[in-house]
Amino acid sequence: EDGIRDYKVTGVQTCALPIFLCVLAPRAWAVDGGIWAELARVQKLQASFEQVQNRAVLKVPLTSHGTVSFERARSALVWTVADPARSTFSLIGNVAKMEYPDLGMKETIDLAQVPDASRLASSMLVWMQADATAVARDFAVTYGADFASLVPKDTTLKALLAEIRIRFANGPARVREVDLVEPDGDKVHIVFRGVTLDGVPVPDPTG
Protein backbone atom coordinates (compact mmCIF):
# COMPACT_ATOMS: atom_id res chain seq x y z
CA GLU A 1 0.00 0.00 0.00
CA ASP A 2 2.84 2.41 0.81
CA GLY A 3 4.26 1.88 -2.66
CA ILE A 4 0.94 2.94 -4.15
CA ARG A 5 0.34 5.91 -1.89
CA ASP A 6 3.88 7.31 -1.68
CA TYR A 7 4.80 7.60 -5.34
CA LYS A 8 5.33 11.38 -4.96
CA VAL A 9 8.22 10.75 -2.59
CA THR A 10 10.12 8.57 -5.07
CA GLY A 11 9.45 10.85 -8.03
CA VAL A 12 8.37 7.79 -10.00
CA GLN A 13 4.74 7.14 -10.87
CA THR A 14 4.02 3.79 -9.27
CA CYS A 15 0.27 4.18 -9.00
CA ALA A 16 -1.44 1.46 -11.03
CA LEU A 17 -4.04 3.81 -12.42
CA PRO A 18 -2.40 4.95 -15.65
CA ILE A 19 -1.56 1.38 -16.52
CA PHE A 20 -5.19 0.36 -16.54
CA LEU A 21 -6.36 3.43 -18.37
CA CYS A 22 -4.15 2.84 -21.36
CA VAL A 23 -5.98 -0.36 -22.27
CA LEU A 24 -9.16 1.49 -23.21
CA ALA A 25 -10.22 1.19 -26.83
CA PRO A 26 -13.40 3.26 -27.28
CA ARG A 27 -14.73 5.09 -30.31
CA ALA A 28 -12.92 8.42 -30.53
CA TRP A 29 -15.51 10.01 -32.82
CA ALA A 30 -18.52 9.32 -30.58
CA VAL A 31 -17.40 8.66 -27.05
CA ASP A 32 -20.26 7.48 -24.84
CA GLY A 33 -21.28 4.64 -22.55
CA GLY A 34 -20.89 2.19 -25.41
CA ILE A 35 -17.11 2.30 -25.11
CA TRP A 36 -17.11 -0.67 -22.74
CA ALA A 37 -18.14 -3.15 -25.44
CA GLU A 38 -15.22 -1.98 -27.58
CA LEU A 39 -12.83 -2.09 -24.64
CA ALA A 40 -13.66 -5.74 -24.05
CA ARG A 41 -12.42 -6.64 -27.54
CA VAL A 42 -8.78 -5.77 -26.78
CA GLN A 43 -6.94 -8.85 -25.53
CA LYS A 44 -3.33 -7.66 -25.72
CA LEU A 45 -1.76 -4.23 -25.84
CA GLN A 46 1.76 -2.84 -26.01
CA ALA A 47 2.73 0.83 -26.19
CA SER A 48 5.40 3.40 -25.39
CA PHE A 49 4.59 6.39 -23.24
CA GLU A 50 5.85 9.82 -22.26
CA GLN A 51 4.78 10.95 -18.83
CA VAL A 52 5.10 14.51 -17.51
CA GLN A 53 4.56 15.18 -13.82
CA ASN A 54 3.70 18.74 -12.81
CA ARG A 55 4.02 19.01 -9.05
CA ALA A 56 4.33 21.87 -6.62
CA VAL A 57 7.37 20.23 -5.00
CA LEU A 58 9.25 20.17 -8.32
CA LYS A 59 11.04 23.23 -9.73
CA VAL A 60 10.49 21.93 -13.26
CA PRO A 61 8.18 19.23 -14.65
CA LEU A 62 9.54 15.69 -14.41
CA THR A 63 9.44 13.84 -17.74
CA SER A 64 9.85 10.09 -18.00
CA HIS A 65 9.60 7.52 -20.80
CA GLY A 66 8.87 3.84 -20.88
CA THR A 67 6.63 1.03 -22.06
CA VAL A 68 3.40 -0.61 -20.99
CA SER A 69 1.95 -4.03 -21.80
CA PHE A 70 -1.34 -5.69 -20.98
CA GLU A 71 -2.65 -9.23 -21.44
CA ARG A 72 -6.30 -9.75 -20.61
CA ALA A 73 -6.28 -13.56 -20.39
CA ARG A 74 -3.71 -13.52 -17.56
CA SER A 75 -4.84 -10.20 -16.04
CA ALA A 76 -1.20 -9.20 -16.46
CA LEU A 77 -0.01 -5.60 -16.59
CA VAL A 78 3.55 -4.27 -16.74
CA TRP A 79 4.46 -0.56 -16.60
CA THR A 80 8.19 0.03 -17.11
CA VAL A 81 9.94 3.41 -16.76
CA ALA A 82 13.25 3.60 -18.65
CA ASP A 83 14.33 7.13 -17.71
CA PRO A 84 15.25 9.23 -15.85
CA ALA A 85 15.13 6.55 -13.11
CA ARG A 86 14.37 2.93 -13.96
CA SER A 87 11.39 1.25 -12.35
CA THR A 88 8.88 -1.48 -13.10
CA PHE A 89 5.39 -1.93 -11.75
CA SER A 90 3.61 -5.20 -12.52
CA LEU A 91 0.24 -6.54 -11.52
CA ILE A 92 -0.68 -10.16 -12.17
CA GLY A 93 -3.91 -11.11 -10.53
CA ASN A 94 -3.78 -9.75 -6.99
CA VAL A 95 0.02 -9.66 -6.77
CA ALA A 96 1.65 -6.28 -7.32
CA LYS A 97 5.42 -5.94 -7.68
CA MET A 98 7.55 -2.79 -7.75
CA GLU A 99 11.23 -2.79 -8.67
CA TYR A 100 13.76 0.07 -8.65
CA PRO A 101 16.98 -1.35 -10.18
CA ASP A 102 18.99 1.84 -9.70
CA LEU A 103 18.20 1.80 -5.99
CA GLY A 104 18.42 -1.96 -5.52
CA MET A 105 14.88 -2.04 -4.17
CA LYS A 106 12.05 -4.52 -4.70
CA GLU A 107 8.63 -4.82 -3.13
CA THR A 108 5.83 -7.34 -3.52
CA ILE A 109 2.32 -6.68 -2.27
CA ASP A 110 -0.49 -9.21 -2.02
CA LEU A 111 -3.43 -6.87 -2.56
CA ALA A 112 -5.80 -9.43 -1.12
CA GLN A 113 -4.12 -8.83 2.25
CA VAL A 114 -4.33 -5.01 2.11
CA PRO A 115 -7.96 -3.83 2.19
CA ASP A 116 -7.41 -0.28 0.92
CA ALA A 117 -5.03 -1.31 -1.83
CA SER A 118 -7.29 -4.19 -2.81
CA ARG A 119 -10.27 -1.83 -3.10
CA LEU A 120 -8.22 0.53 -5.23
CA ALA A 121 -7.08 -2.29 -7.49
CA SER A 122 -10.66 -3.53 -7.85
CA SER A 123 -11.71 -0.12 -9.11
CA MET A 124 -8.84 -0.11 -11.60
CA LEU A 125 -9.75 -3.58 -12.85
CA VAL A 126 -12.98 -2.06 -14.09
CA TRP A 127 -11.07 -0.78 -17.13
CA MET A 128 -9.56 -4.14 -17.91
CA GLN A 129 -12.78 -6.10 -17.48
CA ALA A 130 -15.03 -3.55 -19.22
CA ASP A 131 -17.61 -3.76 -16.43
CA ALA A 132 -20.02 -0.90 -17.11
CA THR A 133 -21.84 -1.53 -13.83
CA ALA A 134 -18.64 -1.11 -11.83
CA VAL A 135 -17.75 2.03 -13.79
CA ALA A 136 -21.06 3.58 -12.83
CA ARG A 137 -20.47 2.51 -9.24
CA ASP A 138 -17.01 4.05 -8.88
CA PHE A 139 -17.05 7.08 -11.21
CA ALA A 140 -19.23 9.96 -12.32
CA VAL A 141 -18.51 10.04 -16.06
CA THR A 142 -18.92 12.89 -18.54
CA TYR A 143 -18.38 12.16 -22.24
CA GLY A 144 -17.18 14.67 -24.84
CA ALA A 145 -16.50 14.55 -28.58
CA ASP A 146 -13.16 12.77 -28.15
CA PHE A 147 -12.73 12.47 -24.40
CA ALA A 148 -14.17 11.16 -21.16
CA SER A 149 -13.89 12.84 -17.77
CA LEU A 150 -14.12 10.59 -14.73
CA VAL A 151 -14.61 11.83 -11.19
CA PRO A 152 -14.16 9.17 -8.49
CA LYS A 153 -17.03 8.41 -6.15
CA ASP A 154 -15.06 6.08 -3.90
CA THR A 155 -13.47 7.72 -0.84
CA THR A 156 -10.15 5.93 -1.32
CA LEU A 157 -9.94 7.00 -4.95
CA LYS A 158 -10.92 10.58 -4.10
CA ALA A 159 -7.94 10.79 -1.77
CA LEU A 160 -5.66 10.07 -4.75
CA LEU A 161 -7.39 11.68 -7.71
CA ALA A 162 -9.81 14.52 -8.36
CA GLU A 163 -10.32 13.71 -12.04
CA ILE A 164 -9.17 11.34 -14.78
CA ARG A 165 -9.41 12.87 -18.25
CA ILE A 166 -8.93 10.52 -21.20
CA ARG A 167 -8.52 11.67 -24.80
CA PHE A 168 -9.10 9.18 -27.59
CA ALA A 169 -7.91 8.66 -31.16
CA ASN A 170 -9.50 6.62 -33.93
CA GLY A 171 -8.30 4.46 -36.79
CA PRO A 172 -8.53 2.13 -34.83
CA ALA A 173 -10.05 3.54 -31.65
CA ARG A 174 -7.64 3.78 -28.74
CA VAL A 175 -6.50 5.97 -25.87
CA ARG A 176 -4.28 8.84 -26.96
CA GLU A 177 -3.63 10.81 -23.77
CA VAL A 178 -4.49 10.65 -20.08
CA ASP A 179 -4.47 13.45 -17.52
CA LEU A 180 -4.53 12.55 -13.83
CA VAL A 181 -5.51 15.55 -11.72
CA GLU A 182 -4.85 15.13 -8.02
CA PRO A 183 -6.74 16.75 -5.12
CA ASP A 184 -3.88 19.19 -4.41
CA GLY A 185 -3.76 20.39 -8.02
CA ASP A 186 -0.75 18.35 -9.10
CA LYS A 187 -1.17 16.75 -12.52
CA VAL A 188 0.32 13.86 -14.48
CA HIS A 189 0.02 13.96 -18.29
CA ILE A 190 0.61 10.73 -20.22
CA VAL A 191 0.85 10.35 -24.01
CA PHE A 192 0.84 6.90 -25.65
CA ARG A 193 2.67 6.17 -28.91
CA GLY A 194 3.66 3.11 -30.94
CA VAL A 195 0.51 1.28 -29.87
CA THR A 196 0.02 -2.36 -30.84
CA LEU A 197 -3.45 -3.85 -30.35
CA ASP A 198 -3.74 -7.64 -30.45
CA GLY A 199 -0.46 -7.84 -32.36
CA VAL A 200 -1.36 -5.20 -34.95
CA PRO A 201 0.58 -1.89 -34.92
CA VAL A 202 -1.57 1.22 -35.26
CA PRO A 203 -0.38 4.63 -36.49
CA ASP A 204 0.32 7.44 -34.04
CA PRO A 205 -2.36 10.15 -34.24
CA THR A 206 -1.47 13.57 -35.64
CA GLY A 207 -2.63 16.98 -34.55
Side-chain angles (χ1 to χ4, degrees), residues 55-139:
R55 304 190 181 284
V57 298
L58 300 174
K59 293 183 178 179
V60 297
L62 176 63
T63 300
S64 58
H65 302 87
T67 60
V68 58
S69 65
F70 161 68
E71 185 176 344
R72 185 183 302 277
R74 297 194 306 124
S75 295
L77 299 147
V78 180
W79 179 273
T80 301
V81 176
D83 63 71
R86 295 182 299 161
S87 67
T88 298
F89 174 90
S90 65
L91 179 63
I92 301 178
N94 284 324
V95 179
K97 294 182 179 181
M98 286 160 282
E99 298 184 22
Y100 305 93
D102 297 332
L103 301 176
M105 296 173 56
K106 295 182 180 181
E107 183 177 9
T108 299
I109 302 173
D110 183 353
L111 298 181
Q113 304 300 316
V114 186
D116 285 348
S118 179
R119 181 68 183 87
L120 177 61
S122 295
S123 296
M124 302 312 166
L125 284 171
V126 162
W127 307 106
M128 188 166 60
Q129 301 299 334
D131 186 342
T133 299
V135 171
R137 178 195 67 204
D138 292 336
F139 299 95

Side-chain angles (χ1 to χ4, degrees), residues 122-175:
S122 295
S123 296
M124 302 312 166
L125 284 171
V126 162
W127 307 106
M128 188 166 60
Q129 301 299 334
D131 186 342
T133 299
V135 171
R137 178 195 67 204
D138 292 336
F139 299 95
V141 186
T142 301
Y143 299 102
D146 68 344
F147 73 89
S149 172
L150 295 84
V151 176
K153 297 178 182 179
D154 181 80
T155 301
T156 302
L157 288 175
K158 283 184 177 180
L160 295 172
L161 291 166
E163 180 189 13
I164 307 163
R165 192 176 185 88
I166 310 162
R167 186 182 178 196
F168 308 108
N170 62 3
R174 62 201 181 282
V175 166

Side-chain angles (χ1 to χ4, degrees), residues 22-23 42-47 68-71 195-198:
C22 73
V23 305
V42 177
Q43 300 301 310
K44 293 183 179 181
L45 177 148
Q46 294 85 37
V68 58
S69 65
F70 161 68
E71 185 176 344
V195 177
T196 298
L197 300 177
D198 293 332

